[in-house]
Structure formats: C-alpha cells, structure tokens
C-alpha cells in the first residue's frame, strides 16, 4: 500500500542535480563499455575461425518462494534475448532445481563463465561457486564478480522505490530533512560483504539526497527493524525500505514488515528490472576481458 505522505506522483522531471547526472552518465558509460566489449570479443577472429563464446551460467542462490524461481527464469530469458549467440543456463546454490552442479554437468565440454546473481562478496562467491566449478571436470571455467556494487543497481533500486511511491522529482528540503532509507540486504559474516553493501548505500544516498543506511535480514547487524528505529531516532519520520534482493522471498517479506503502518514505503526486490540483465552481461564481458583472465581447466576425478 502506497504511503501518500510522500506526495502524489509528478511527471518525470528532465532536470537532475549534478550528482544524479554523474551517476546516470556512469551507468550509461559502463553499459556502453560492456556492449563494446561483447562486440570486440565476438569479432576478434573471422567468422569461420571464431570459437563459440563461453557459456554464461547464471548462479542464483535459491529460495522456497516460488516467485524467486519464476523471477530468475525470466531473467535468463531476458539475458538470452539481449545476447542470442550465448548459451545461457541457470544453476542454484541450494533449494531449487537445477542445482549448479547439475547445470554444469549438463553442459558439453568447453568453457563457461559463472556469473553470481549475488549482490556482494561472501562465502558463496569465494567458496561454493568455485568449488562447484572445480567439480565440473569437463569444463574450463572462470567465476565473474558478483553484481554489486554497481551504478546500474542504483538505477534499479531508484526505479523500484519510485514504483512504490517515492516522488519522481527531487524532494523539497523540508522533506529531505525528515526522510531516510534503509537498504535491506541479505547479510553475511564476511566483512567484505558489508563493505560492498555500504558502497551501494552510499551510491543510493547520492542519488536520492537523503541518508541511506544498510539493514540486514540475517547474519549481520543491524537488522532491518533496528535500522528503521535508528533512523526514526534521528528525526527521520518518513522511511523507505529499498529491497536489495534479487528476487522475492522471506528476506524481502520480513524486511518490508519492519515498517510500522503508515511509517513509509517498502519497494519490491530488484527482480527482472532491465538493469539486471545488462549488468549480468557486463560482468560476463568484464570477466572475459580482464587482463590475465585464464580459464581454469579441471581434471575429472574418479
């Protein structure tokens, strides 16, 4: 339910402050670079000598919420439509089929780039995904960086907040002084995950012009409810929860429930926002183009 205290929707303004313009231009530039990288990589050799591009394996976490599987399956379709020459497959770390190991086993011998559908560094990126790649003895693999932090995610977060009722234009000064945002994230015991999430919070704060603080659904502090209370104690009586999750699920639901009735708005997860497919392809291209990138061949084990 939209909190009308944020005001009615206005037509999208064509003027943005300098900081917003900087972020927009950065996201556009990175998208352009990713597109050029993809073109250069595919055109490096004459057609008849050109090797088939490595498969893109999208690695999702997995969820008991059926909406999560539907979301990531749709995202695979979006990626395939943007880059039809790629073999794009989906694998889950847990809870959903196909599991990552099964997806890798079903690929023919060759090369694959594993792109984590995860928003920060952590155990899954550093341990679980490389371990699954190492077990696929018939493949040579490279693991791309997680999706976050990145300006394209800020685009998606902003759009999701706007859809939930955040004003499309800049907030008046008196509203900025009483407004704050909690960036609700999954959480991890890995300290680098918190660094990544804080970076996204900083980028979003620059975009919105109000404080943005992380709140975590598990494994890290503060939790989302505590972050909401902390903002309230600072006089931020209008609070929005930005759902920094890739798909619907328990974490997103619990984070939205941290707001009291009438306290503010809760945005939907990132889901299939157009920026997500573009960012996945950017990570894929960057992994291939990075200096010193080498696919790791894995010997089959008995």
């Amino acid at each position: 339910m939209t909190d009308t205290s944020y005001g009615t929707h206005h037509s999208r303004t064509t003027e943005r402050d300098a900081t917003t313009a900087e972020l927009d231009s950065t996201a556009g530039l990175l998208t352009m670079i990713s597109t050029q990288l993809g073109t250069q990589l595919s055109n490096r050799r004459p057609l008849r000598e050109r090797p088939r591009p490595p498969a893109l394996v999208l690695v999702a976490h997995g969820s008991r919420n059926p909406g999560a599987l539907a979301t990531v399956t749709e995202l695979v379709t979006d990626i395939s439509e943007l880059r039809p020459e790629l073999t794009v497959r989906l694998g889950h770390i847990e809870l959903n089929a196909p599991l990552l190991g099964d997806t890798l086993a079903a690929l023919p011998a060759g090369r694959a780039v594993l792109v984590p559908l995860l928003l920060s560094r952590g155990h899954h990126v550093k341990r679980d995904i490389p371990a699954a790649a190492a077990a696929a003895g018939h493949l040579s693999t490279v693991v791309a960086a997680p999706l976050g932090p990145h300006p394209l995610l800020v685009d998606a977060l902003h759009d999701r907040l706007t859809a939930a009722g955040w004003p499309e234009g800049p907030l008046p000064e008196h509203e900025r002084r009483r407004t704050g945002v909690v960036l609700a994230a999954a959480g991890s015991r890995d300290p680098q995950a918190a660094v990544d999430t804080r970076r996204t919070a900083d980028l979003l704060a620059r975009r919105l012009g109000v404080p943005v603080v992380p709140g975590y659904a598990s494994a890290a502090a503060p939790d989302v409810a505590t972050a909401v209370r902390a903002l309230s104690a600072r006089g931020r009586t209008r609070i929005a929860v930005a759902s920094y999750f890739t798909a619907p699920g328990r974490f997103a639901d619990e984070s939205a429930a941290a707001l009291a009735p009438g306290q503010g708005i809760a945005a939907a997860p990132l889901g299939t926002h157009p920026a997500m497919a573009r960012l996945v392809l950017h990570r894929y291209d960057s992994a291939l183009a990075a200096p010193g990138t080498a696919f790791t061949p894995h010997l089959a084990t008995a």
Side-chain angles (χ1 to χ4, degrees), residues 145 186-187 220 240 250 279:
R250 178 171 61 89
L279 182 51

Side-chain angles (χ1 to χ4, degrees), residues 234-279:
R234 292 163 52 185
R236 304 287 170 168
T237 56
R238 298 290 185 268
I239 298 175
V241 172
S243 189
Y244 197 42
F245 305 104
T246 56
R250 178 171 61 89
F251 285 169
D253 293 342
E254 291 176 351
S255 297
L259 289 173
Q263 189 176 18
I265 57 173
L270 299 165
T272 55
H273 186 282
M276 297 297 283
R278 290 160 56 200
L279 182 51

Side-chain angles (χ1 to χ4, degrees), residues 26-297:
T26 300
L29 177 62
L30 288 170
T31 301
M32 180 184 70
I33 291 171
S34 179
T35 301
Q36 291 174 345
L37 284 172
T39 301
Q40 291 169 2
L41 288 165
S42 62
N43 292 335
R44 190 169 289 171
R45 298 183 183 181
L47 183 60
R48 62 184 178 181
E49 299 178 13
R50 198 175 301 159
R52 185 174 181 83
L56 189 161
V57 179
L58 186 67
V59 185
H61 183 277
S63 170
R64 293 184 176 87
N65 186 311
L69 179 58
T71 297
V72 296
T73 300
E74 184 177 346
L75 183 56
V76 168
T77 299
D78 293 343
I79 296 165
S80 296
E81 289 176 351
L82 287 173
R83 199 74 66 82
E85 73 277 11
L86 288 184
T87 297
V88 183
R89 296 290 184 265
L90 172 66
H92 294 89
I93 296 169
E94 60 183 5
L95 299 176
N96 288 119
L99 292 173
L100 177 56
D102 296 333
T103 295
L104 296 176
L107 284 172
R111 301 180 300 161
V113 178
L114 282 61
V115 181
L117 189 60
L118 301 169
L119 300 172
S120 64
R121 292 167 290 180
H123 185 82
H124 293 315
V125 172
K126 295 177 180 179
R127 298 286 186 270
D128 294 338
I129 297 175
H138 63 300
L139 295 174
S140 295
T141 60
V142 63
V143 178
L147 299 189
H150 195 280
L152 284 171
L153 293 174
V154 177
D155 290 346
L157 289 165
H158 186 209
D159 286 349
R160 292 299 189 224
L161 284 167
T162 301
W166 186 275
E168 294 187 352
L171 288 175
E173 179 61 30
H174 71 280
E175 286 293 332
R176 283 207 303 269
R177 288 196 298 266
R178 59 199 294 246
T179 301
V181 175
V182 174
L183 182 68
S188 170
R189 293 181 179 87
D190 189 316
Q192 288 186 318
V195 171
D196 292 343
T197 303
R198 283 196 298 270
R199 175 60 177 155
T200 299
D202 291 343
L203 291 172
L204 185 59
R206 292 173 61 193
R207 171 67 64 88
L208 300 176
V210 301
V212 178
V213 298
Y216 299 101
S218 69
D223 61 28
V224 177
T226 300
V228 168
R229 290 194 296 270
L231 280 175
S232 297
R234 292 163 52 185
R236 304 287 170 168
T237 56
R238 298 290 185 268
I239 298 175
V241 172
S243 189
Y244 197 42
F245 305 104
T246 56
R250 178 171 61 89
F251 285 169
D253 293 342
E254 291 176 351
S255 297
L259 289 173
Q263 189 176 18
I265 57 173
L270 299 165
T272 55
H273 186 282
M276 297 297 283
R278 290 160 56 200
L279 182 51
V280 168
L281 286 169
H282 176 69
R283 293 302 193 209
Y284 171 91
D285 292 335
S286 297
L288 290 179
T293 293
F295 283 82
T296 302

